Amino acid sequence: MREALTSGVAAATSPALSCEGLCVGYGSRVVLEGISLAIPPASWTSVIGPNGCGKSTLLRALAGLEPARAGAIFLQARRLNAWPRRERARRLAWLSQTAPVTDLTASEVVSLGRFAHSGWLAHRQADDDAAMHRAMTATGSLAWASRRLSTLSGGERQRVHLARVLAVEASVLLLDEPTTHLDPPHQEDVARLLRDQALRCGVSVVSAIHDLSLALTADRVIVLGHSGVVGHGTVREALAGDWLSAAFETRVNIVEHQGVHLWRPALEAPARLSIEP
Amino acid sequence: MSTNRLMAWLLGCVAITLLLTFGSLVIGTSSVETSLGWILSPDAQSSVVLWQIRLPRSVGAWFAGALLGLAGAIAQGVFRNPLAEPYLLGTASGAALGVTIILVAADASIGGLTWASKLGVTGAACLGAGGATLLTISLSRGVLQTRSLLLSGVVVAFLLSAITQLLLLAKPEIWRSMQSFLFGSTGFISWSSAGLLGAVFCLCVVPAALLSRGLDALTLGEDTAQSLGLSLPALRLTLLGIVSLATAAAVGEVGVVGFVGLVAPHLVRETLNVNHRQLLIGAPLCGGALLQAADLASRWLIRPAELPVGAITACLGGSYLVYLLWRRSRNA
């Protein structure tokens, strides 16, 4: 099955999350139109595209936070809005682009990730504690468990929120820029963590990451342009078809170095914005 | 946040409350020595003063303050704004209008007098407060848009105050009876009022504490709260219902007492690092003690006369907020 996934013939297995003809907009502005995607189980997908192309909107819509004007979203072959609220929240977790500041302590924030499991009374069971502990260990946020979020740095706060999302133990994770505010080694940690979630825990991870080199370490990519989906498939397919250049409407240089794809800023090429001497 | 510190804090609050209750038993128009003598060797007349006038007044003031503190803590959580307060939804002006209407009806001695006296000032205030909340919510077409809720609250407050002012212009003779209500007064609390306030408090604090996790989740933003599996409309509607019930009961019994609902949650947050479950227990304790202290001061400062308790809470609360601002700007 792993081979089937990595070679991009995942359509045979039923997708963890999918949408058909999805259309989302704000007011009179249509942001996404006619989007059809299928996210296979146990995979890590990067959403790549220029600013304002609708990456966040896509993730929000898939999380059920933005109403679809047309089309349908399916979570495990059942319509997203047909799921009971808490059952859905146990299967699908979403991380916002901005890491919210709060006066709660880190462990209180992570325990909110268990809300869909433990409910209103917050009577934590052993498995809740275990999930919280695993999530905080994996993100390296255990050390400041009893500190208030408002006293942490941006990067530390980001890792606490990541721990909250992991603590849900959902089968689908939608992460909007999980590596913002993080220094390069910690970005690396997060990328490794997401890959582990996909390969070892069978989770479908969908993440929007701005750093192209980091984004291309995923198994699959969804490349969004201003006029919709440019392509959806494996990283190799994306590079072969040069989807990135099409999406960004400019030449995007990706070099392969020891099996790793790196984005190389091409300063010698004719830049779009040239500075007169 | 260690549990020990929280326990010490809670015990401190309870101790202050007991002290204030004792203080309000011995402080009144009679001297402290006389009151102490009454407690030690009670007779028929003094026991009426102590147990039927002073004690219910103090207990009622505590419950009213606790209700305002609870409502303030919930309002600040729902609106995610530290300046939110219980009167935000127009409850105060609604209650004032209700009382004005009842006084006008009673004064005019028209056919409505019987229903007016049956409803009473308290009932009218509660009805007015509830009506104003409903008006605010329906004006903003639901509870989901924070900004339009706040805006409708302001509009409703202005509108209802304008109607009250017009009624007062037309019937200036009821102005004096309105005064004690508009400034807030703990002078008329009987055992039955204190009992009513206590019952409403129990009715409000239990569901509020049960929903405290929802308020915690709301601090992460509405989208994140929703993604955690919360039903935002149901949560907000329930919490705002609790706010308006608590405020209506408090305003109905003691009038428009300002600043307690705004300051009590701040006092808790300043002294403790708390989540909402602890805040929803701490803020009522704090608010209760605050209003009790203000009640005591209102009787003591210019004895044997009395100051309106609302004026004292406004002075205390206002100066506390100024102190907070001053300290923040110095730290910044």
Side-chain angles (χ1 to χ4, degrees):
Chain A
M1 186 173 144
R2 175 70 30 79
E3 263 171 285
L5 290 179
T6 43
S7 65
V9 215
T13 58
S14 105
L17 184 69
S18 64
C19 63
E20 278 163 27
L22 184 66
C23 179
V24 188
Y26 308 102
S28 60
R29 198 167 83 92
V30 176
V31 181
L32 298 170
E33 202 169 14
I35 307 282
S36 297
L37 296 167
I39 313 290
S43 66
W44 174 22
T45 308
S46 275
V47 183
I48 301 175
N51 292 334
C53 71
K55 300 187 291 288
S56 291
T57 307
L58 176 65
L59 291 178
R60 289 172 54 86
L62 291 176
L65 295 169
E66 234 30 272
R69 290 192 178 169
I73 302 168
F74 298 91
L75 173 65
Q76 292 167 354
R78 183 175 175 187
R79 278 193 85 128
L80 190 65
N81 41 23
W83 283 95
R85 197 174 295 277
R86 293 249 300 270
E87 277 186 47
R88 185 172 93 186
R90 258 177 253 160
R91 287 165 175 81
L92 185 144
W94 172 77
L95 179 72
S96 74
Q97 195 170 13
T98 52
V101 189
T102 158
D103 279 335
L104 299 176
T105 64
S107 70
E108 279 167 350
V109 169
V110 177
S111 85
L112 284 173
R114 298 301 292 175
F115 174 80
H117 299 266
S118 57
W120 286 110
L121 292 178
H123 185 70
R124 289 215 303 266
Q125 310 283 331
D127 55 340
D128 293 325
D129 284 332
M132 283 171 58
H133 192 269
R134 270 197 301 276
M136 294 186 84
T137 313
T139 52
S141 55
L142 204 56
W144 48 80
S146 56
R147 279 181 57 192
R148 289 205 276 174
L149 232 62
S150 47
T151 66
L152 298 177
S153 76
E156 292 169 331
R157 215 178 286 146
Q158 180 79 20
R159 279 150 69 191
V160 173
H161 284 294
L162 201 57
R164 164 176 62 76
V165 168
L166 290 181
V168 179
E169 305 205 309
S171 50
V172 178
L173 300 183
L174 302 171
L175 313 173
D176 203 346
E177 312 228 358
T179 52
T180 39
H181 305 297
L182 296 184
D183 51 41
H186 281 116
Q187 292 190 12
E188 209 175 9
D189 287 346
V190 169
R192 202 176 301 120
L193 181 69
L194 298 186
R195 157 161 302 181
D196 274 4
Q197 286 288 314
L199 294 186
R200 294 225 192 101
C201 312
V203 175
S204 301
V205 182
V206 183
S207 60
I209 296 178
H210 258 298
D211 184 325
L212 281 179
S213 310
L214 203 63
L216 289 174
T217 54
D219 315 324
R220 301 170 62 81
V221 287
I222 295 169
V223 180
L224 281 182
H226 282 294
S227 49
V229 178
V230 175
H232 172 210
T234 61
V235 170
R236 204 157 291 281
E237 284 169 337
L239 295 178
D242 205 8
W243 296 348
L244 297 186
S245 298
F248 288 95
E249 294 166 11
T250 181
R251 176 96 214 111
V252 175
N253 290 307
I254 303 293
V255 292
E256 192 170 342
H257 176 69
Q258 297 178 345
V260 181
H261 303 286
L262 298 171
W263 171 62
R264 189 175 65 85
L267 300 181
E268 67 277 17
R272 279 183 302 168
L273 292 172
S274 59
I275 301 163
E276 298 296 326
Chain B
M1 181 66 251
S2 69
T3 331
N4 287 338
R5 189 157 167 220
L6 180 71
M7 281 316 288
W9 192 92
L10 291 178
L11 284 178
C13 254
V14 172
I16 290 175
T17 299
L18 291 178
L19 210 64
L20 287 170
T21 314
F22 179 73
S24 53
L25 277 182
V26 295
I27 287 172
T29 41
S30 58
S31 71
V32 174
E33 291 80 14
T34 326
S35 304
L36 276 176
W38 284 353
I39 292 177
L40 295 175
S41 53
D43 59 51
Q45 194 205 340
S46 65
S47 64
V48 169
V49 172
L50 287 180
W51 313 120
Q52 299 302 324
I53 297 175
R54 290 185 186 170
L55 188 61
R57 176 174 178 167
S58 186
V59 170
W62 189 89
F63 276 123
L67 280 169
L68 290 175
L70 179 73
I74 299 175
Q76 291 177 5
V78 170
F79 291 112
R80 301 176 58 214
N81 188 330
L83 282 181
E85 52 136 10
Y87 301 143
L88 213 64
L89 298 173
T91 29
S93 14
L97 180 62
V99 171
T100 315
I101 291 176
I102 216 88
L103 288 176
V104 168
D107 185 66
S109 313
I110 39 177
L113 185 61
T114 39
W115 65 258
S117 61
K118 205 174 269 177
L119 188 61
V121 170
T122 307
C126 285
L127 271 187
T133 310
L134 284 182
L135 189 60
T136 302
I137 290 177
S138 54
L139 257 183
S140 78
R141 297 195 195 149
V143 288
L144 276 185
Q145 303 294 328
T146 302
R147 215 179 305 170
S148 73
L149 255 181
L150 294 178
L151 201 61
S152 329
V154 171
V155 169
V156 166
F158 268 109
L159 193 72
L160 299 186
S161 307
I163 300 177
T164 307
Q165 296 299 330
L166 285 177
L167 283 175
L168 284 176
L169 268 182
K171 289 244 168 236
E173 57 275 20
I174 61 169
W175 172 244
R176 280 208 60 81
S177 357
M178 271 304 285
Q179 231 171 9
S180 71
F181 178 81
L182 286 180
F183 285 129
S185 165
T186 37
F188 311 111
I189 301 177
S190 60
W191 270 124
S192 62
S193 327
L196 178 76
L197 285 170
V200 174
F201 178 68
C202 295
L203 207 65
C204 289
V205 77
V206 173
L210 285 180
L211 294 177
S212 62
R213 251 194 138 192
L215 284 170
D216 279 347
L218 272 180
T219 64
L220 302 181
E222 289 169 3
D223 289 333
T224 301
Q226 227 170 342
S227 80
L228 291 170
L230 278 163
S231 163
L232 221 48
L235 177 69
R236 295 185 68 144
L237 199 61
T238 316
L239 289 172
L240 290 182
I242 295 173
V243 169
S244 56
L245 178 63
T247 319
V251 170
E253 293 295 350
V254 300
V256 185
V257 173
F259 275 104
V260 173
L262 179 62
V263 165
H266 278 280
L267 267 175
V268 182
R269 276 199 221 100
E270 283 296 312
T271 44
L272 283 176
N273 303 337
V274 287
N275 58 32
H276 272 93
R277 182 189 297 240
Q278 293 155 347
L279 182 65
L280 291 185
I281 293 167
L285 287 177
C286 226
L290 260 178
L291 196 53
Q292 253 188 335
D295 172 50
L296 200 58
S298 78
R299 280 190 271 164
W300 190 64
L301 285 176
I302 55 164
R303 64 189 182 282
E306 270 190 32
L307 280 170
V309 73
I312 294 189
T313 58
C315 288
L316 283 178
S319 27
Y320 175 68
L321 284 185
V322 169
Y323 160 74
L324 270 189
L325 270 178
W326 171 75
R327 217 193 49 188
R328 291 245 169 92
S329 63
R330 213 183 46 157
N331 286 352

